[in-house]
Amino acid sequence: MTEKIYFRFVFMTILVAMLVTTCGAIAYYTLFEKQVHEDMQVTAQIFKDTEFFQTADISQLENNTKLKDEKLRITLMEWNGTVLFDNTVSAKSMENHGDRPEIIAALENGWGEKIRKSDTLGRVDYYYAIVLNDGRILRISKEVDGLFIVIMAVMPYCGAIIIIVSIIGAVVAKLLTNRLMTPILQVAENIDGEMDAPYPELYPFISKIRKQHDQVLESAQRVRDFSANASHELKTPLTAISGYAQLIQTSELEPDRLQHFSQEIDKNANRLLKLIDDIIELSNLDAGELETQFETVDLYELAKDELEILKINADNRNISLKLEGESTRLLGQRDLLTELIDNLVENSIRYNNPGGHVSVKIFEARGRKQLIVEDDGIGIPSEDFDRIFERFYRVDKSRSKATGGTGLGLSIVKHIVELHDGSIHLESRLGEGTKITVIF
Ligand code: ADP
């Protein structure tokens, strides 16, 4: 990347240098052409004003050695183009010039000019014709360098400029790329450590990279913790099952002992199944592989059906269930919302005292759909508020296990709420009860 940036810089510098010198050469040639035009115009006007060519005889002109040595080619002709005198060749050998563009123009406007390619490679002939006071036409011409020659002449200077600018460009490019890239490379090397952005433009870049880096580390740590916790949680019921099975195999047991052991095996096997179900559910939610088929769901109807199922459980513990509110529809996933209500109400039943109450309220207020599950059970200590949504976290381990908890229920709830773009709020007082509000 550094090399790429560097070569681009150098390439740009050379390109700019070439462009500038080419434009310079063209500008120089335009000025040069203008200068030639002005020179010719002034010279022709002087010839006209001094009336030298009107007064002199042709033989006088022919014998004038000064005119012969003149660098300009001077041609005198009649108004119709018949050549009377030329200081370079014999006038008689010259054809009629009446059809030459500079002559036609001169007859029309008093003066005319034309640039023609000379025989010599790259040079041009510049012609300027002027009508004299006696009606005859005087034409002067000069062979000058063409654009190509001018450009070729300035080429060595342009080349030198390009080389100097390119060298300066290469050095500056090296310094600039170093200044640009070194901090980025340093940041990349120190992504773990604390390092400030060397220039403000890098702030968003660095904070984003660092955030993503932290997220990757966090998620790797979460996966490690989760695997360790999951193995530990799965091991407990399996050890119990294996222990009871061995006891049954190795000893002669009284029928009631045998029944107790097989009940324990059944209980632990169910616990294992529940754990595996919850783990699968969570990993599906994590992977986002659930069908994201949202449909209109009536929360109130869902809760009504769910409370019907949980009633047996609540009756067994002598806990009353109450549903309040009204039909509240929202766009969501039916199965997940059912599981959310189930987990919350089940917790309120399990972490409650005999004779306790659980109420579920579903309603819509100020455009927000709300689900409130409230109980007057054992409550949660305030220092555990943040942690109870963590995987496998339990306030009261023995109570959770005794009532078939996995420690995953609330993390599944949190996930489902997030998937529905909702928020979850917890209020609880130890010994007084718990209120969980979900807002969609
Ligand atoms: P668990 O399977 O252990 O119930 P959860 O994730 O559902 O796991 O809950 C985490 C912990 O939060 C529980 O172990 C329990 O200690 C506490 N908890 C959850 N709901 C309530 C409640 N309604 N009343 C008291 N404690 C609760």
Side-chain angles (χ1 to χ4, degrees):
M1 186 63 195
T2 316
E3 246 177 39
K4 214 166 163 184
I5 294 180
Y6 172 69
F7 282 118
R8 289 227 171 131
F9 263 130
V10 175
F11 177 70
M12 285 286 291
T13 320
I14 294 176
L15 205 73
V16 169
M18 279 167 79
L19 214 72
V20 168
T21 42
T22 311
C23 289
I26 292 172
Y28 169 74
Y29 187 74
T30 314
L31 282 177
F32 168 78
E33 231 182 8
K34 202 170 153 221
Q35 193 59 52
V36 172
H37 164 80
E38 275 172 13
D39 285 354
M40 300 287 271
Q41 192 184 29
V42 169
T43 311
Q45 195 62 44
I46 289 171
F47 281 146
K48 179 178 174 176
D49 292 346
T50 53
E51 299 206 335
F52 173 72
F53 288 95
Q54 282 104 306
T55 48
D57 281 352
I58 299 297
S59 56
Q60 240 180 322
L61 292 175
E62 273 168 356
N63 294 329
N64 190 323
T65 46
K66 261 195 181 164
L67 282 179
K68 285 228 162 61
D69 294 341
E70 182 59 58
K71 276 188 192 134
L72 287 174
R73 180 177 176 190
I74 303 170
T75 316
L76 184 67
M77 50 198 108
E78 291 285 11
W79 65 272
N80 61 6
T82 310
V83 178
L84 300 171
F85 164 75
D86 190 285
N87 67 340
T88 53
V89 289
S90 143
K92 290 187 191 82
S93 66
M94 287 171 70
E95 57 188 11
N96 186 292
H97 273 40
D99 57 350
R100 302 289 159 96
E102 68 275 15
I103 307 298
I104 297 171
L107 285 171
E108 238 171 63
N109 311 316
W111 67 276
E113 64 185 335
K114 176 77 188 161
I115 299 168
R116 266 196 288 275
K117 249 197 181 160
S118 165
D119 294 341
T120 336
L121 184 81
R123 289 177 72 89
V124 293
D125 282 323
Y126 194 99
Y127 294 96
Y128 190 93
I130 191 166
V131 181
L132 300 177
N133 295 333
D134 58 5
R136 290 189 297 179
I137 299 163
L138 178 75
R139 187 187 75 172
I140 52 178
S141 84
K142 193 176 173 183
E143 196 185 44
V144 294
D145 293 338
L147 177 64
F148 180 70
I149 293 188
V150 172
I151 287 185
M152 286 316 279
V154 293
M155 236 3 169
Y157 303 103
C158 292
I161 292 173
I162 290 173
I163 291 170
I164 293 169
V165 170
S166 302
I167 292 171
I168 296 172
V171 173
V172 172
K174 187 94 206 149
L175 291 174
L176 278 179
T177 28
N178 278 350
R179 255 184 79 183
L180 196 76
M181 292 308 294
T182 315
I184 297 178
L185 295 174
Q186 276 171 1
V187 168
E189 273 172 23
N190 282 298
I191 202 83
D192 287 329
E194 278 306 306
M195 198 193 155
D196 282 336
Y199 40 91
E201 289 81 358
L202 275 183
Y203 284 139
F205 168 74
I206 289 184
S207 66
K208 177 115 198 177
I209 297 235
R210 194 155 278 155
K211 215 162 137 191
Q212 283 180 350
H213 179 72
D214 290 349
Q215 275 171 355
V216 169
L217 289 181
E218 249 171 56
S219 118
Q221 185 59 40
R222 263 217 314 272
V223 170
R224 272 200 298 277
D225 289 352
F226 184 71
S227 313
N229 282 330
S231 328
H232 177 74
E233 293 288 334
L234 292 168
K235 226 169 134 185
T236 320
L238 271 175
T239 314
I241 291 171
S242 150
Y244 288 123
Q246 272 174 18
L247 278 176
I248 292 171
Q249 275 171 14
T250 51
S251 45
E252 285 287 314
L253 293 171
E254 306 276 309
D256 56 336
R257 295 277 291 161
L258 185 66
Q259 197 189 1
H260 171 69
F261 288 167
S262 48
Q263 271 171 355
E264 283 300 323
I265 289 179
D266 186 46
K267 203 174 91 191
N268 279 291
N270 280 333
R271 200 173 135 59
L272 205 57
L273 282 175
K274 174 92 174 88
L275 257 172
I276 291 169
D277 274 351
D278 280 359
I279 289 173
I280 291 174
E281 174 88 55
L282 257 184
S283 68
N284 283 344
L285 281 165
D286 271 345
E289 272 169 10
L290 288 157
E291 274 179 55
T292 36
Q293 285 259 318
F294 280 60
E295 55 183 314
T296 308
V297 179
D298 188 337
L299 265 187
Y300 188 84
E301 288 302 319
L302 274 193
K304 207 163 115 189
D305 295 346
E306 207 42 41
L307 291 195
E308 205 70 52
I309 298 167
L310 291 170
K311 194 169 178 316
I312 309 156
N313 201 351
D315 284 348
N316 285 343
R317 294 170 192 235
N318 194 21
I319 288 164
S320 75
L321 290 183
K322 188 170 72 177
L323 175 65
E324 292 171 74
E326 62 212 8
S327 163
T328 302
R329 290 161 183 276
L330 69 97
L331 215 57
Q333 288 194 41
R334 181 177 292 276
D335 292 348
L336 294 183
L337 291 172
T338 308
E339 182 155 3
L340 180 142
I341 297 172
D342 180 73
N343 280 348
L344 291 179
V345 178
E346 215 177 33
N347 278 352
S348 283
I349 297 170
R350 282 167 37 217
Y351 303 105
N352 214 322
N353 305 308
H357 304 84
V358 177
S359 93
V360 179
K361 292 193 192 95
I362 290 164
F363 58 94
E364 189 166 343
R366 276 174 269 121
R368 310 300 303 263
K369 281 120 188 164
Q370 307 206 10
L371 159 71
I372 301 174
V373 179
E374 199 170 357
D375 63 65
D376 52 1
I378 63 169
I380 301 165
S382 55
E383 62 267 25
D384 287 320
F385 279 15
D386 288 339
R387 302 210 58 194
I388 58 163
F389 293 98
E390 283 175 20
R391 292 159 188 206
F392 296 115
Y393 187 79
R394 297 152 169 126
V395 179
D396 182 347
K397 254 196 164 72
S398 55
R399 182 153 192 161
S400 164
K401 284 188 180 168
T403 54
T406 60
L408 293 174
L410 285 183
S411 35
I412 292 176
V413 164
K414 194 175 158 211
H415 242 309
I416 297 173
V417 171
E418 279 167 5
L419 200 83
H420 287 81
D421 285 333
S423 56
I424 188 160
H425 310 273
L426 165 73
E427 292 161 59
S428 186
R429 263 174 178 280
L430 207 55
E432 288 184 19
T434 303
K435 178 179 175 186
I436 292 185
T437 309
V438 179
I439 303 175
F440 295 104

